[in-house]
Amino acid sequence: HSHFADLLYLSDGRSARASSFDRSGGNVDAVPVGPGQTVTLAEIPGAGCIRHIYFTTTAAQWQLRDLMLRMYWDGEESPSVEVPFGDFFGLGHERGRFFHNALISVNPGGAGITGTYGFNAYFPMPFSDGARLTLSNDGPSPVGAVWYHINYETFDSLEDGVGRFHAQWRRENLTTAVGDKPGVTLHEGINLDGKENYVILDAKGHGNLAGYFLNIDNVSGDWYGEGDDMI
């Protein structure tokens, strides 16, 4: 199925963008984020759907977890998205790399961060009564510049049966070792109850799983062991 199969259909949606453009008409088209500061990236009224988010930044790699990305739909007080910036784009443990899949891409290009990265997300993010996106700096050092584009559509109303985009981040540090001899592969080990498994998702309700990023930092060295998914 082509990604462009729907281009022949006309839409009543109106294209729009929120970005870090220079409001004075100049060329300072980025925003700084100081320690403890929260920047509102977009505040969109009414109904609509975000289609593409782009960032680049002068942040150092070790600040990829200092920056916190939050998204609120339909006037909610608790965010539906609350993920460290780097982890949202699949860069775990504050380590940059280039990669892409159908919905996320981290490309060469940008300014300042080691290796220079352009961060893109293509998850559809609908809302019926407003959207608010923020970026907070929870670290001790300033981030000199963040460039961003948030491309979205606005509608007169949102059709029925449309979900909301959610994303969370969690970690286990250090991960609980299974068995009496940590760091030793248990070739004959049996796992029937999943009691010590790392939980990727625990959810109730009606929805679709868009995917997840799992990053493992093997601090003990050698192979970290085989694990099977249990659903």
Short mmCIF file of all heavy atoms in Angstrom, two decimals, residues 91 95-100 105-109 114-118:
data_model
loop_
_atom_site.label_atom_id
_atom_site.label_comp_id
_atom_site.label_asym_id
_atom_site.label_seq_id
_atom_site.Cartn_x
_atom_site.Cartn_y
_atom_site.Cartn_z
N LEU A 91 16.86 7.50 20.93
CA LEU A 91 18.27 7.61 21.32
C LEU A 91 18.39 7.40 22.83
O LEU A 91 18.28 8.33 23.61
CB LEU A 91 18.84 8.98 20.93
CG LEU A 91 18.70 9.35 19.45
CD1 LEU A 91 19.47 10.65 19.17
CD2 LEU A 91 19.19 8.24 18.54
N ARG A 95 22.93 8.84 23.93
CA ARG A 95 23.91 8.53 22.90
C ARG A 95 23.28 8.73 21.53
O ARG A 95 22.25 8.12 21.21
CB ARG A 95 24.41 7.09 23.04
CG ARG A 95 25.16 6.85 24.35
CD ARG A 95 25.53 5.39 24.53
NE ARG A 95 26.16 5.15 25.81
CZ ARG A 95 26.46 3.95 26.29
NH1 ARG A 95 26.18 2.87 25.58
NH2 ARG A 95 27.02 3.81 27.47
N GLY A 96 23.89 9.58 20.72
CA GLY A 96 23.36 9.87 19.41
C GLY A 96 23.73 8.82 18.37
O GLY A 96 24.78 8.18 18.46
N ARG A 97 22.84 8.63 17.40
CA ARG A 97 23.13 7.78 16.26
C ARG A 97 22.11 8.10 15.17
O ARG A 97 21.04 8.65 15.46
CB ARG A 97 23.04 6.29 16.63
CG ARG A 97 21.65 5.80 17.03
CD ARG A 97 21.67 4.33 17.42
NE ARG A 97 20.34 3.80 17.67
CZ ARG A 97 19.68 3.91 18.81
NH1 ARG A 97 20.25 4.55 19.82
NH2 ARG A 97 18.47 3.41 18.96
N PHE A 98 22.44 7.75 13.96
CA PHE A 98 21.53 7.96 12.85
C PHE A 98 20.73 6.68 12.61
O PHE A 98 21.29 5.59 12.62
CB PHE A 98 22.30 8.31 11.56
CG PHE A 98 23.17 9.53 11.70
CD1 PHE A 98 24.47 9.52 11.22
CD2 PHE A 98 22.69 10.67 12.29
CE1 PHE A 98 25.27 10.64 11.33
CE2 PHE A 98 23.49 11.81 12.42
CZ PHE A 98 24.78 11.79 11.93
N PHE A 99 19.44 6.80 12.38
CA PHE A 99 18.63 5.65 11.99
C PHE A 99 17.26 6.15 11.55
O PHE A 99 16.90 7.32 11.74
CB PHE A 99 18.48 4.64 13.14
CG PHE A 99 17.42 5.02 14.15
CD1 PHE A 99 16.18 4.39 14.15
CD2 PHE A 99 17.66 5.99 15.10
CE1 PHE A 99 15.21 4.74 15.06
CE2 PHE A 99 16.70 6.34 16.02
CZ PHE A 99 15.46 5.72 16.01
N HIS A 100 16.49 5.27 10.95
CA HIS A 100 15.12 5.65 10.62
C HIS A 100 14.24 4.40 10.54
O HIS A 100 14.72 3.30 10.28
CB HIS A 100 15.06 6.42 9.30
CG HIS A 100 15.25 5.58 8.08
ND1 HIS A 100 16.50 5.24 7.60
CD2 HIS A 100 14.36 4.99 7.24
CE1 HIS A 100 16.37 4.49 6.52
NE2 HIS A 100 15.08 4.32 6.29
N SER A 105 12.77 9.35 12.32
CA SER A 105 14.07 9.37 11.65
C SER A 105 14.99 10.34 12.38
O SER A 105 14.56 11.41 12.82
CB SER A 105 13.94 9.76 10.18
OG SER A 105 13.53 11.10 10.03
N VAL A 106 16.23 9.93 12.55
CA VAL A 106 17.28 10.79 13.10
C VAL A 106 18.34 10.89 12.01
O VAL A 106 19.05 9.93 11.74
CB VAL A 106 17.86 10.21 14.40
CG1 VAL A 106 18.91 11.15 14.97
CG2 VAL A 106 16.75 9.98 15.43
N ASN A 107 18.39 12.04 11.36
CA ASN A 107 19.17 12.23 10.14
C ASN A 107 20.40 13.09 10.39
O ASN A 107 20.43 13.90 11.32
CB ASN A 107 18.32 12.92 9.07
CG ASN A 107 17.09 12.12 8.70
OD1 ASN A 107 17.13 10.90 8.68
ND2 ASN A 107 15.99 12.82 8.43
N PRO A 108 21.42 12.96 9.54
CA PRO A 108 22.50 13.94 9.57
C PRO A 108 21.97 15.32 9.24
O PRO A 108 21.09 15.48 8.41
CB PRO A 108 23.45 13.44 8.47
CG PRO A 108 23.11 12.00 8.26
CD PRO A 108 21.64 11.89 8.55
N GLY A 109 22.48 16.30 9.94
CA GLY A 109 22.06 17.67 9.69
C GLY A 109 21.63 18.33 10.97
O GLY A 109 21.12 17.70 11.89
N THR A 114 27.02 16.91 18.82
CA THR A 114 28.06 16.07 18.23
C THR A 114 27.47 15.19 17.14
O THR A 114 26.54 14.43 17.37
CB THR A 114 28.70 15.20 19.33
OG1 THR A 114 29.24 16.06 20.34
CG2 THR A 114 29.81 14.35 18.74
N GLY A 115 28.01 15.28 15.94
CA GLY A 115 27.49 14.51 14.82
C GLY A 115 26.40 15.23 14.06
O GLY A 115 26.10 14.88 12.93
N THR A 116 25.80 16.27 14.65
CA THR A 116 24.70 17.05 14.09
C THR A 116 23.54 16.18 13.64
O THR A 116 23.63 15.45 12.66
CB THR A 116 25.16 17.95 12.92
OG1 THR A 116 25.61 17.16 11.83
CG2 THR A 116 26.24 18.89 13.37
N TYR A 117 22.43 16.27 14.36
CA TYR A 117 21.27 15.43 14.11
C TYR A 117 20.04 16.27 13.79
O TYR A 117 19.83 17.33 14.36
CB TYR A 117 20.96 14.58 15.35
CG TYR A 117 22.07 13.65 15.76
CD1 TYR A 117 22.94 13.98 16.79
CD2 TYR A 117 22.28 12.46 15.08
CE1 TYR A 117 23.98 13.14 17.15
CE2 TYR A 117 23.31 11.60 15.44
CZ TYR A 117 24.16 11.95 16.47
OH TYR A 117 25.19 11.11 16.83
N GLY A 118 19.23 15.76 12.87
CA GLY A 118 17.90 16.28 12.64
C GLY A 118 16.89 15.24 13.10
O GLY A 118 16.92 14.10 12.65
#
